[in-house]
Amino acid sequence: MATVKMNRAKSAAAAISYALGPNRMKQETKDWLIKHGCPPGALKNNDRAVVRSGINISPTYANAEMKAVRQHANGDTIKNQAIRIIQSFSADDLDITNPENWQICNEIGYEFARRAFGGVDDERKEGYYPPYQIAVYTHVDGKGHKLHNHIIVNKTNLHDSKQWTVDNLDQEWRSFREINDSVCREYGLKITQERSKKVKKTISERELEMKGQYVWKSDLRARIDDALAEIKKKNISLEDALKARGVDVRRRGENGISYAFVDQEGKKRISRGQRLGTIYERKSVDEYEEGIKRQREQAQERAREAARSVRFESRRQAINAVQKHQQYVERSIGNAGERIERVGARKQAIIALVRSLQQAVDRSIALMKRLRADFERRKAEMKRFQGEIQKLDSIKSYQDLEKQMRLAAKVAEQSKKTAPKAIVAVTLRDGLPNSSNQLIAATADMTRYLVMVDQGVWSDRGQFEFSDPEKKALEKATPEQLKKVNGIAKRQAKRLSGIVDDAVEQQKKNAERLRANQGKRYRR
């Protein structure tokens, strides 16, 4: 069965770094997997994430892309940047030593995240992909050696730039659990049994139980259950039975009841009945005690009626007959119990065989559906990505621009012994490879202008203007492209101005050294 846990992450970068885990897979994890039948060829990658996928994001570059969205929306000033969900699978559902199950595990996490954060079921509709950036990383490490997914969700909405919020985290977790069960059922996996409303458990209690840690409320429930069972067998009050188990019970008003005891850690704990479950509330406990009391009174009344209706001898004979019959019934029950156990064992074996066959059929059907859905999903993603690429086709290569800027810096570095040569090198594009892309040329001209203004050599040149082809290219550019052009120009201008300043400073030092040497010759 698959389980999900969720919490908030203050730093999305830290959560992604841990989930991606570049070169962080331990050798002991690889040794264990190979020892238990995993093909060594499947473990060539040293990253903790053996499979990765993303919705509206590249899982490899998720940190930078999520940060860019947050900065665009609110300057990246929110307190909790992401939601972190851990989805775990038992060994009965997915074999961790089978690499095919790694991909299935990631696909289940992908589909769960898509539905949990607003994705519609019809992939032909616009809302098939939710308006959030989601990265899914599949891990094969951990103490329990269980396949599990780390799902990181950027809280910033791509449509309205608002943050993902929830009023009741426990209620939201329950809805996530239902979605998780639905997806697992479609993939032919077992799901967790529905929890009874008679016992109420919080998320923290369930997490502690999953870790095998002590939960004081569970300890208190067990003591109350033992006390309720004892008063049914013995003629004692609930207060005495609980007191013998170290629990003090207090009834308050007409409907209130509370239980207090000292737990295994030596701490005094108090809880109301309604926080433990419906069977521990005042009404349920009182009805239980009243029912036992009525049963005892009815038994006593029947015994008195029998004593009054028969004579002593008849009563004795009846008692002997009842005792013999009781012995016979006990022997019969014992024999019948053994037969029932044998029949039950056979029945369980047949049920297990039928269930395994059904699971095999369900998994085959789910595999066919998954392959079809995966094909259609990848086809739709390819169309969507092609559309995005066409929007950015006006700039063919920002790497070309970065290459030109590095060449300018290299020329300036070689010429920094004299300030005039350095200024010429960093402000002119002469001698550098010319680009046919006007946005790249505009970026270089903007860099030249910023450098010359910083060095104070632009005052006699008049107002700076772009060429006509550059103006047309800038008018057609998208806001993201303009932002990138401006950022590159400012960074390069700052770096190149620093090179000019170093050249001027070096020229001053050379002049001072020359004057000092001339003074020495004159004195001689």
Side-chain angles (χ1 to χ4, degrees), residues 66 81-83 85 117 132-134 151-155:
M66 287 186 181
Q81 298 176 345
I83 297 297
I85 300 174
F117 286 88
Y132 294 97
Q133 294 171 303
I134 305 173
I151 303 173
I152 312 300
V153 184
N154 195 13
K155 289 176 61 179

Side-chain angles (χ1 to χ4, degrees), residues 140-153:
V140 294
D141 55 2
K143 295 181 179 179
H145 297 292
K146 294 181 181 179
L147 268 173
H148 60 280
N149 290 322
H150 285 255
I151 303 173
I152 312 300
V153 184

Side-chain angles (χ1 to χ4, degrees), residues 46-310:
N46 292 322
D47 296 346
R48 296 188 69 197
V50 294
V51 183
R52 64 190 74 171
S53 62
I55 300 175
N56 299 322
I57 199 171
S58 167
T60 305
Y61 305 102
N63 181 24
E65 295 182 18
M66 287 186 181
K67 183 176 181 180
V69 170
R70 291 194 304 271
Q71 287 181 338
H72 176 73
N74 49 41
D76 200 11
T77 58
I78 58 176
K79 182 178 180 181
N80 296 310
Q81 298 176 345
I83 297 297
R84 176 171 46 207
I85 300 174
I86 299 177
Q87 184 185 38
S88 264
F89 299 87
S90 66
D92 296 335
D93 289 330
L94 296 176
D95 182 7
I96 195 171
T97 61
N98 186 355
E100 294 181 359
N101 287 339
W102 301 354
Q103 182 64 37
I104 295 174
C105 175
N106 189 271
E107 291 175 0
I108 294 175
Y110 180 99
E111 185 62 19
F112 160 75
R114 189 189 67 78
R115 297 184 191 180
F117 286 88
V120 300
D121 292 336
D122 190 352
E123 61 182 340
R124 295 172 297 180
K125 295 183 178 180
E126 183 179 357
Y128 182 75
Y129 295 96
Y132 294 97
Q133 294 171 303
I134 305 173
V136 183
Y137 305 95
T138 300
H139 287 195
V140 294
D141 55 2
K143 295 181 179 179
H145 297 292
K146 294 181 181 179
L147 268 173
H148 60 280
N149 290 322
H150 285 255
I151 303 173
I152 312 300
V153 184
N154 195 13
K155 289 176 61 179
T156 303
N157 191 301
L158 295 174
H159 292 169
D160 56 15
S161 299
K162 294 182 179 179
Q163 300 301 306
W164 183 86
T165 58
V166 59
D167 296 331
N168 190 324
L169 187 61
D170 185 69
Q171 183 177 358
E172 187 71 15
W173 179 87
R174 292 178 187 276
S175 67
F176 280 5
R177 188 184 67 185
E178 293 176 359
I179 296 172
N180 178 64
D181 291 347
S182 176
V183 175
C184 291
R185 192 182 293 110
E186 293 177 7
Y187 276 80
L189 306 184
K190 295 185 296 184
I191 62 173
T192 56
Q193 297 180 353
E194 293 296 330
R195 295 174 173 81
S196 173
K197 294 182 179 179
K198 295 181 179 180
V199 177
K200 298 179 181 178
K201 294 184 179 181
T202 62
I203 293 178
S204 59
E205 288 183 70
R206 287 190 289 267
E207 290 180 347
L208 290 175
E209 288 180 350
M210 290 173 62
K211 296 178 182 178
Q213 299 181 8
Y214 173 74
V215 182
W216 68 268
K217 284 189 177 180
S218 298
D219 185 9
L220 179 58
R221 291 188 190 96
R223 299 189 189 195
I224 299 173
D225 292 340
D226 292 341
L228 292 173
E230 184 179 9
I231 64 174
K232 189 173 183 180
K233 297 178 181 179
K234 300 179 181 179
N235 189 17
I236 61 175
S237 65
L238 178 62
E239 285 78 1
D240 293 337
L242 287 173
K243 189 174 182 179
R245 290 163 176 78
V247 180
D248 293 331
V249 58
R250 296 181 182 179
R251 289 178 169 85
R252 298 174 289 102
E254 297 181 356
N255 301 318
I257 189 171
S258 61
Y259 307 90
F261 80 118
V262 178
D263 65 5
Q264 293 182 1
E265 299 174 352
K267 297 180 180 179
K268 186 175 181 180
R269 304 287 189 178
I270 301 175
S271 177
R272 295 181 181 179
Q274 62 183 8
R275 295 186 180 274
L276 300 176
T278 57
I279 61 176
Y280 304 102
E281 294 179 355
R282 172 71 175 274
K283 181 179 179 181
S284 299
V285 172
D286 290 346
E287 290 179 353
Y288 183 82
E289 288 184 296
E290 288 295 329
I292 294 175
K293 185 177 180 181
R294 285 195 299 270
Q295 291 177 2
R296 290 199 181 105
E297 291 177 352
Q298 292 173 0
Q300 292 175 0
E301 184 63 26
R302 287 194 297 270
R304 285 193 293 269
E305 289 292 334
R308 287 194 295 267
S309 61
V310 299

Side-chain angles (χ1 to χ4, degrees), residues 29 60 415 444 514 524:
T29 299
T60 305
S415 305
L514 180 61
R524 289 177 184 175

